[in-house]
Amino acid sequence: MTSDTDKTFSDMPSGRSTPHRGYSLLNSPAAKFILIGFVTLMLVAPSTFVWLLVEERADRAREVARDIARSWGGTQQINGPYLVVPFTETFDTGLAGNRKTKTVRRKVVLFPKKLDVSGDVVVEERQKSIYTLPVYNGRLMLKGRFETPPEGAFDPKHGGRIDIAADKAVLVVGIGDLRALKSEVALKLDGNREVSFEPGLEALVFNPENESFHPQHASGINAGVSSAYWRKGFTFEIPFQLNGSSAVFIAPAGQTTSVKLQSNWPHPGFTGAFLPEARNISDSGFDATWSIPYLARGIPKFQETNQLPLATRLIGVKFVEPVNFYQTISRSLKYAIGFISLTFLAVFVLEMRSGWRFHWIQYGLVGFALIIFYVMLLAFAEHVGYALAYLIAAGAATVLNAVYVGASLKSRSAGLVMFVVLASIFGVLFALMREQDYALLIGSIIAFIALAVTMFATQKIDWTGQGSEAHSLENAQV
């Protein structure tokens, strides 16, 4: 005896497959959606390898930049001038009946009452292989005045007798890279007498207590100043010319310091302990001025130290490259999975609305095309610049995926929609990289909009696939 169900299936025309419920569930939109999510997570591995490639190329660029800096001059730090005056204190130690005389060598570092720094920095780009580094030639002038040593500068610490080595006072200026000096440097005292500088800061960094040099062997220059000048105060002028790269920093060494810098570089990055009070930036360069009063500087009028003061309170300018594309590409890779997910969502919606199916391997190929976009962007950016490289890589990835999706779904309109979606995605990614401060805000808004569009576009999708199975059974019975 044959059941009704058996009769129904036995009467089916040959060549038409029998619907199977397990097969339908595995191929339901819900299962497909989960599988697409798995493919998306699998693409984390290749995107990580691309990130490592970017970091490796960035390290190579930094290595070449260091090579250029070694030949031309590194980042310069101008710290000073300071007047270093050595002295000794002799006092008695020990108990009565066993007293000894001890002499301690000390030195005081005096700050100028006023310091004016002016400079003209001419920047150009030096290239080695495919890498470039902004280097500069700077003409600087340090002018100001030292007053009579302030009260308390030579006070005894142990109640002993003070002997000042007046003829051994030196004026010191810290310079980050002495090799990059391009002129002899002379100290002009009171507008008439000139004293030549000698290399080194031994008078400052020497520690008299243990007769050793301070671990911070800062580079710099020194010039002797006779007691006839420093005891009553004197004005000074120190003009010099030096090369450097990437940035220049200046210490507010004066009790009151003013700094004025100008340059032909149109992309300055002001940094350090104090920002400029006034600045003017144009396509032809910039000029900026700083004014740091005594109280804002936050240190007394003199110190006893074996190292350059104010080393951590510098002001400066970085000569920023318009686009550090290694850093930009590295940042954009953080958004890679998000933008791959948006692309997959667009393909999924188009697939559900078409009569054709897009295999999960095809989703993977689309994802790999987006990963290759980053490799192309890195490769082209090293040769033609970031903006043009982005246009080439994004255009190639957009056209390839749009044509592929349209051909696979047998729909020109699907290909056109995919083109618009990808063009929008790459446009948003470019904007995110340009607007670093607003990246999180823009990204969250885009994610919300994408989710809302996906929710309404998939509202009528039968996620279980049971409707399609029932429809197939009805057709089979007919």
Side-chain angles (χ1 to χ4, degrees), residues 376-458:
M376 292 179 63
L377 176 58
L378 174 63
F380 278 99
E382 290 185 333
H383 294 276
V384 300
Y386 178 76
L388 182 56
Y390 193 94
L391 179 63
I392 294 171
T398 299
V399 172
L400 174 61
N401 280 334
V403 172
Y404 182 66
V405 171
S408 299
L409 297 179
K410 305 294 188 294
S411 171
R412 291 184 178 179
S413 60
L416 181 60
V417 171
M418 202 65 221
F419 181 89
V420 173
V421 169
L422 285 172
S424 301
I425 288 175
F426 284 118
V428 168
L429 181 61
F430 187 81
L432 282 176
M433 296 304 100
R434 288 284 186 175
E435 299 293 336
Q436 181 177 356
D437 294 337
Y438 300 97
L440 179 61
L441 176 62
I442 297 173
S444 62
I445 294 174
I446 292 170
F448 180 82
I449 294 174
L451 178 62
V453 171
T454 303
M455 290 170 65
F456 286 100
T458 59

Side-chain angles (χ1 to χ4, degrees), residues 215-478:
Q216 180 191 342
H217 287 280
S219 64
I221 53 179
N222 70 89
V225 180
S226 67
S227 62
Y229 283 96
W230 70 261
R231 284 186 182 279
K232 65 180 179 62
F234 61 94
T235 62
F236 63 87
E237 293 183 10
I238 310 173
F240 58 93
Q241 181 180 356
L242 78 172
N243 289 343
S245 59
S246 300
V248 59
F249 292 91
I250 297 171
Q255 296 178 36
T256 300
T257 304
S258 64
V259 179
K260 183 175 182 180
L261 294 178
Q262 64 179 23
S263 174
N264 62 332
W265 189 255
H267 310 290
F270 300 106
T271 184
F274 303 93
L275 294 178
E277 290 186 344
R279 58 185 178 180
N280 180 33
I281 304 173
S282 66
D283 293 337
S284 58
F286 74 89
D287 60 79
T289 58
W290 291 258
S291 180
I292 300 96
Y294 171 63
L295 293 177
R297 194 186 61 167
I299 61 175
K301 299 177 181 179
F302 62 89
Q303 287 184 335
E304 288 194 44
T305 179
N306 298 317
Q307 56 185 320
L308 283 169
L310 295 166
T312 60
R313 298 182 64 81
L314 305 175
I315 61 177
V317 181
K318 293 182 178 180
F319 302 104
V320 181
E321 296 182 80
V323 177
N324 185 340
F325 58 82
Y326 294 110
Q327 182 181 7
T328 303
I329 296 173
S330 180
R331 283 177 45 231
S332 67
L333 279 164
K334 298 177 183 178
Y335 298 89
I337 296 303
F339 283 98
I340 290 173
S341 300
L342 287 176
T343 304
F344 283 0
L345 281 175
V347 176
F348 178 76
V349 172
L350 291 173
E351 178 188 358
M352 293 297 103
R353 289 180 171 272
S354 70
W356 301 88
R357 291 294 174 258
F358 209 72
H359 197 271
W360 66 270
I361 292 181
Q362 292 177 289
Y363 279 95
L365 292 174
V366 170
F368 274 115
L370 297 178
I371 296 296
I372 295 298
F373 153 76
Y374 290 100
V375 180
M376 292 179 63
L377 176 58
L378 174 63
F380 278 99
E382 290 185 333
H383 294 276
V384 300
Y386 178 76
L388 182 56
Y390 193 94
L391 179 63
I392 294 171
T398 299
V399 172
L400 174 61
N401 280 334
V403 172
Y404 182 66
V405 171
S408 299
L409 297 179
K410 305 294 188 294
S411 171
R412 291 184 178 179
S413 60
L416 181 60
V417 171
M418 202 65 221
F419 181 89
V420 173
V421 169
L422 285 172
S424 301
I425 288 175
F426 284 118
V428 168
L429 181 61
F430 187 81
L432 282 176
M433 296 304 100
R434 288 284 186 175
E435 299 293 336
Q436 181 177 356
D437 294 337
Y438 300 97
L440 179 61
L441 176 62
I442 297 173
S444 62
I445 294 174
I446 292 170
F448 180 82
I449 294 174
L451 178 62
V453 171
T454 303
M455 290 170 65
F456 286 100
T458 59
Q459 192 174 17
K460 296 183 179 180
I461 292 178
D462 179 17
W463 292 98
T464 63
Q466 293 179 356
S468 300
E469 180 184 357
H471 182 68
S472 298
L473 285 171
E474 290 176 3
N475 289 341
Q477 291 173 355
V478 173

